[in-house]
């Protein structure tokens, strides 16, 4: 049939098909990515929740709601807490690579500019920026906030994990930020009795001294966040003697601070308001670490919303006992697999 159609018609049909395909490419969308564009603040970062409700990018946004969110873009709630901003950048880059929507790449690069701008001159990152009220302005390792940023910037610098599409102009900027971040990490490794140990979850942004964040998060040595810090340091190519020393001292602390013969588990308990509780139970096959260790004595402790330190997790209120990760196996893979592998290359 096509052989009998005039050539001019064939030519016009081909042009029409080309236009349709081009239009489809330009309009290619990812629902979650589009929602991320709406929630991105004017400064470049993202909030983690709105009115205490966690953001869910999978939910459809009606036009009126989308417009209201965009109109609120000057809100000062951009953060790196709970993976915010970093996870959006990673998702948008992946979406761009999948469907070539340049708006996604532009938003991701705007997010990277936000992270670079939020870094303190001393090298650390606050939990929130520009809002520095309360503990939000502290240098924050808590929940791996600062390390998440550094790992993203490392990926940009090295063109890894999808970040090869980021403009090359960011490479030097990220390298400078990483260097200052490492300097901050080395300076904040806590020294007790002349011996470096590990890290606290948050620090004063001016003095670099450990500080309390929330009422149940006092200054302490962290059995959790310190793991991700060491893992980031082990990513460094040709590590300096200072980096190697920081890693080795932290590993020594993890070995010294392990708790052998116990597990922290959830059990049924009809006496509790939720019908369950978390308790420490004996288990000869288990090794765990506490979330908080006293800086001076290296003894585990637990704190409720009254900020009073307790020696047993059973001594704090039920709500906090069950609402926080007081024990975990965080350093296990680091000690058993990652560090030995790193050590072979960096003796």
């Amino acid at each position: 049939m096509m052989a009998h159609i005039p050539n001019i018609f064939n030519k016009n049909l081909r042009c029409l098909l080309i236009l349709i395909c081009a239009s489809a490419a330009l309009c290619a969308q990812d629902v979650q990515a589009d929602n991320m564009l709406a929630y991105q603040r004017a400064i470049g970062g993202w909030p983690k929740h709105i009115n205490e409700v966690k953001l869910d990018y999978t939910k459809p946004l009606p036009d009126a709601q989308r417009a209201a969110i965009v109109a609120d873009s000057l809100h000062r709630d951009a953060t790196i807490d709970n993976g915010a901003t970093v996870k959006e950048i990673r998702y948008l880059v992946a979406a761009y690579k999948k469907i070539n929507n340049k708006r996604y790449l532009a938003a991701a690069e705007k997010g990277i500019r936000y992270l670079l701008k939020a870094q303190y001159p001393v090298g650390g990152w606050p939990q929130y920026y520009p809002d520095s009220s309360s503990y939000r302005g502290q240098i924050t390792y808590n929940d791996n906030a600062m390390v998440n940023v550094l790992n993203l910037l490392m990926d940009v610098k090295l063109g890894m994990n999808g970040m090869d599409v980021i403009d090359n102009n960011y490479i030097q900027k990220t390298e400078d930020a990483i260097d200052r971040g490492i300097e901050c990490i080395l300076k904040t490794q806590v020294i007790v009795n002349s011996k470096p140990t590990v890290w606290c979850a948050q620090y004063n942004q001016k003095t670099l001294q450990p500080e309390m964040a929330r009422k149940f998060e006092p200054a302490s040595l962290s059995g959790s966040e310190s793991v991700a810090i060491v893992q980031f340091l082990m990513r460094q190519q040709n590590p300096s003697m200072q980096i190697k020393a920081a890693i080795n001292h932290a590993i020594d602390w993890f070995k010294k601070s392990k708790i052998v013969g116990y597990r922290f588990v959830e059990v049924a308990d009809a006496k509790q308001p939720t019908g369950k509780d978390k308790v420490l139970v004996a288990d000869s096959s288990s090794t765990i670490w506490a979330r908080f260790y006293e800086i001076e004595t290296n003894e585990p402790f637990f704190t409720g919303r009254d900020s009073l330190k307790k020696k047993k997790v059973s001594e704090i209120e039920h709500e906090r006992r069950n609402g926080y990760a007081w024990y975990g196996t965080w350093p296990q893979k680091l000690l058993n697999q990652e560090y030995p592998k790193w050590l072979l290359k960096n003796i």
Side-chain angles (χ1 to χ4, degrees):
M1 290 293 292
M2 292 295 290
H4 301 289
I5 298 176
N7 287 335
I8 186 65
F9 182 82
N10 286 340
K11 183 177 180 180
N12 289 340
L13 180 59
R14 286 195 297 271
C15 290
L16 179 61
L17 290 173
I18 291 172
L19 287 173
I20 290 173
C21 291
S23 177
L26 288 172
C27 297
Q29 292 179 307
D30 178 300
V31 173
Q32 292 190 57
D34 285 342
N35 289 343
M36 288 176 183
L37 297 187
Y39 279 105
Q40 187 173 26
R41 297 317 193 191
I43 198 170
W46 280 265
K48 66 176 181 178
H49 51 56
I50 302 293
N51 297 324
E52 301 303 322
V53 178
K54 183 180 178 181
L55 297 187
D56 183 354
Y57 296 117
T58 65
K59 292 184 177 180
L61 278 180
D63 291 342
Q65 184 180 358
R66 184 181 299 273
I69 293 168
V70 173
D72 195 33
S73 66
L74 293 178
H75 206 95
R76 293 164 53 88
D77 56 353
T79 181
I80 59 172
D81 191 30
N82 292 358
T85 298
V86 171
K87 68 181 179 184
E88 283 86 356
I89 292 171
R90 290 194 182 279
Y91 188 94
L92 286 166
V93 167
Y96 166 73
K97 296 188 78 169
K98 185 178 180 181
I99 59 178
N100 199 35
N101 189 321
K102 293 184 178 180
R103 294 187 305 146
Y104 301 158
L105 179 60
E109 291 181 342
K110 184 177 180 179
I112 292 170
R113 292 195 296 275
Y114 165 80
L115 295 176
L116 294 172
K117 184 176 182 179
Q119 186 179 26
Y120 286 129
V122 294
W125 271 267
Q127 188 182 66
Y128 282 73
Y129 181 81
D131 182 2
S132 60
S133 61
S134 184
Y135 58 83
R136 293 183 170 191
Q138 293 172 341
I139 291 173
T140 304
Y141 297 122
N142 196 22
D143 292 330
N144 303 330
M146 177 169 154
V147 172
N148 287 340
V149 173
L150 284 168
N151 277 318
L152 174 70
L153 297 183
M154 277 285 293
D155 288 343
V156 173
K157 171 188 171 182
L158 300 174
M160 294 178 59
N161 297 317
M163 295 298 149
D164 53 307
V165 296
I166 299 298
D167 192 308
N168 287 339
N169 289 326
Y170 289 95
I171 293 177
Q172 185 61 55
K173 296 176 183 178
T174 57
E175 186 171 348
D176 293 342
I178 291 165
D179 288 345
R180 287 190 288 129
I182 291 173
E183 184 178 357
C184 179
I185 287 173
L186 297 178
K187 286 181 177 178
T188 52
Q189 189 170 21
V190 179
I191 298 176
V192 180
N193 296 327
S194 301
K195 184 177 177 61
T197 59
V198 284
W199 290 265
C200 298
Q202 53 277 321
Y203 291 78
N204 183 281
Q205 61 269 37
K206 295 180 180 179
T207 67
L208 297 185
Q209 293 302 304
E211 284 195 348
M212 170 184 280
R214 290 175 290 186
K215 291 184 177 180
F216 51 90
E217 293 173 331
S220 60
L221 300 177
S222 171
S224 173
E225 282 80 6
S226 298
V227 173
I229 294 173
V230 172
Q231 290 168 331
F232 168 73
L233 291 177
M234 291 196 305
R235 285 192 70 184
Q236 306 313 304
Q237 300 170 329
N238 302 314
S240 66
M241 294 302 295
Q242 292 84 354
I243 291 176
K244 290 180 181 179
I247 292 170
N248 289 327
H249 283 303
I251 293 297
D252 288 343
W253 183 90
F254 286 128
K255 292 177 179 178
K256 172 186 174 182
S257 304
K258 64 184 179 181
I259 301 168
V260 179
Y262 290 92
R263 288 185 298 123
F264 191 50
V265 298
E266 184 175 275
V267 297
D269 188 343
K271 296 179 181 179
Q272 301 300 334
T274 61
K276 56 187 178 181
D277 203 358
K278 284 188 175 180
V279 297
L280 198 63
V281 299
D283 182 347
S284 60
S285 66
S286 176
T287 298
I288 58 175
W289 285 259
R291 182 71 174 266
F292 298 155
Y293 290 79
E294 190 76 63
I295 294 176
E296 295 79 10
T297 66
N298 209 50
E299 294 182 358
F301 71 90
F302 314 89
T303 309
R305 295 188 182 275
D306 58 5
S307 299
L308 298 177
K309 296 179 181 179
K310 306 292 184 180
K311 290 189 176 182
K312 296 180 180 179
V313 69
S314 59
E315 295 177 328
I316 63 174
E317 67 268 26
H318 176 269
E319 181 268 331
R320 279 297 81 201
R321 188 165 64 247
N322 289 264
Y324 204 74
W326 295 107
Y327 290 102
T329 58
W330 308 290
Q332 198 167 71
K333 184 177 180 181
L334 172 65
L335 292 176
N336 296 341
Q337 301 176 35
E338 296 168 341
Y339 176 69
K341 184 177 180 180
W342 175 87
L343 195 59
L344 288 174
K345 298 178 180 179
N346 295 278
I347 295 177

